[in-house]
Amino acid sequence: TALLRIDDLVVEYPTAGGTIHAVSGVSFDVRRGETLGIVGESGSGKSTLLRAVLRLTPVTGGAVHYGDHELTSLTGEEMRQLRPDLQMIIQDPIASLNPRRTVRELVAEGLRIWPQRVTDTVDEQVRRGLDAVSLDVDLVGDRRPKSFSGGQCQRIAIARALALQPRVLFCDEPVSALDVSVQARILNLIRELRRTLDLTVVFVSHDLGVVKNVSDRVMVLYLGRVCELAPAEQFFAAP
Ligand code: ADP
Ligand code: ADP
């Protein structure tokens, strides 16, 4: 069953040089528990699409259905209530982590903003979030981001998202800034999470090899349009 349904989404950027058509009538669904990979070359509209679905960028037209909600018509406050459900990690993990905070504080950040997501205790949910990414709170909890590698920072960012017990994890080029050897470990981690936590994943990358590694279905964007959407085994089958 579809957890998210995107209908005819259009996103345009007005600029001095004219209108940029970043996303031009994109429709797809995301099924509960699946990993949907979205692949396309730089400039094909991947980031814009993710950001529009999450209401981080204004939508020109179309609809985003999540459960009983239509996200493009929600008020800011209604959207704020849903944010913990729909978490995102980005390409540059270090940029998303406040350097002045400890790991413990960083992973607890979302739980301070959305106390309704504290179903156990903050400490316990921080511990479980870090556990899920193979970090031990007793070893790393008091350290700050600058003492970690890029891969470890991405783990911390993922732990922060997981502490909120999200339904969907949106990943925007989550391994593109990492060393190749570290990439594989983060991809394995994302695959594992999807299996162990009842998590749905939307995974965006320009790298087909990376998308192949994690996806159940693959959607190809080209110039802001969907040009292919197929199960991964079909997509990657020899012709
Ligand atoms: P990516 O290809 O990984 O999305 P970019 O370098 O294209 O990264 O974009 C980086 C940032 O600049 C993003 O926030 C994006 O929205 C913004 N951006 C990209 N293209 C333009 C543009 N033509 N005008 C203004 N901002 C842009
Ligand atoms: P991708 O993530 O696939 O690299 P983007 O969504 O970043 O693609 O960009 C899609 C198109 O929209 C590109 O032509 C890009 O230059 C343009 N674009 C992205 N962000 C902005 C922005 N903030 N202002 C103007 N144009 C933008």
Side-chain angles (χ1 to χ4, degrees):
T1 56
L3 189 57
L4 273 168
R5 202 174 76 246
I6 286 78
D7 278 333
D8 205 16
L9 198 69
V10 176
V11 184
E12 295 171 349
Y13 294 109
T15 71
T19 302
I20 295 176
H21 303 271
V23 173
S24 302
V26 164
S27 302
F28 62 99
D29 62 14
V30 183
R31 299 170 192 163
R32 164 179 261 160
E34 81 167 339
T35 298
L36 176 70
I38 301 178
V39 70
E41 59 193 55
S42 182
S44 58
K46 305 181 297 298
S47 286
T48 300
L49 175 60
L50 271 203
R51 295 177 55 78
V53 167
L54 291 168
R55 280 267 306 260
L56 299 172
T57 212
V59 163
T60 310
V64 176
H65 300 279
Y66 170 67
D68 297 332
H69 309 280
E70 198 286 285
L71 302 190
T72 70
S73 62
L74 295 185
T75 65
E77 178 52 28
E78 288 167 334
M79 191 62 216
R80 215 183 75 84
Q81 296 296 323
L82 286 178
R83 284 226 180 276
D85 268 13
L86 309 170
Q87 286 290 298
M88 176 154 87
I89 58 169
I90 61 171
Q91 174 166 356
D92 184 356
I94 295 163
S96 75
L97 302 175
N98 183 334
R100 286 186 299 278
R101 302 251 184 279
T102 65
V103 169
R104 203 190 303 274
E105 290 165 346
L106 287 165
V107 177
E109 250 168 22
L111 295 167
R112 308 271 180 225
I113 302 173
W114 294 284
Q116 68 272 28
R117 302 299 274 214
V118 183
T119 53
D120 202 319
T121 63
V122 172
D123 283 349
E124 178 56 21
Q125 282 173 245
V126 166
R127 191 190 63 74
R128 280 207 299 264
L130 285 168
D131 229 33
V133 299
S134 304
L135 289 174
D136 183 340
V137 69
D138 294 325
L139 297 178
V140 304
D142 297 325
R143 290 168 55 188
R144 285 167 220 278
K146 69 169 179 299
S147 69
F148 292 96
S149 68
Q152 287 169 321
C153 285
Q154 195 58 285
R155 284 177 194 269
I156 294 165
I158 294 170
R160 177 175 54 184
L162 295 180
L164 287 166
Q165 303 174 269
R167 303 281 302 282
V168 190
L169 185 65
F170 293 85
C171 307
D172 190 357
E173 302 274 8
V175 300
S176 302
L178 305 178
D179 293 340
V180 171
S181 60
V182 181
Q183 289 192 2
R185 295 171 60 183
I186 296 291
L187 294 176
N188 281 336
L189 169 65
I190 291 172
R191 255 205 315 261
E192 189 68 12
L193 291 177
R194 171 275 173 112
R195 206 171 54 78
T196 54
L197 311 172
D198 177 31
L199 202 61
T200 302
V201 179
V202 180
F203 189 101
V204 163
S205 177
H206 68 283
D207 186 336
L208 197 54
V210 162
V211 167
K212 176 179 184 173
N213 216 292
V214 293
S215 307
D216 299 304
R217 288 191 303 150
V218 177
M219 180 170 111
V220 182
L221 271 189
Y222 182 72
L223 296 177
R225 295 177 194 277
V226 178
C227 64
E228 190 163 355
L229 177 52
E233 62 270 22
Q234 189 176 320
F235 189 86
F236 292 105

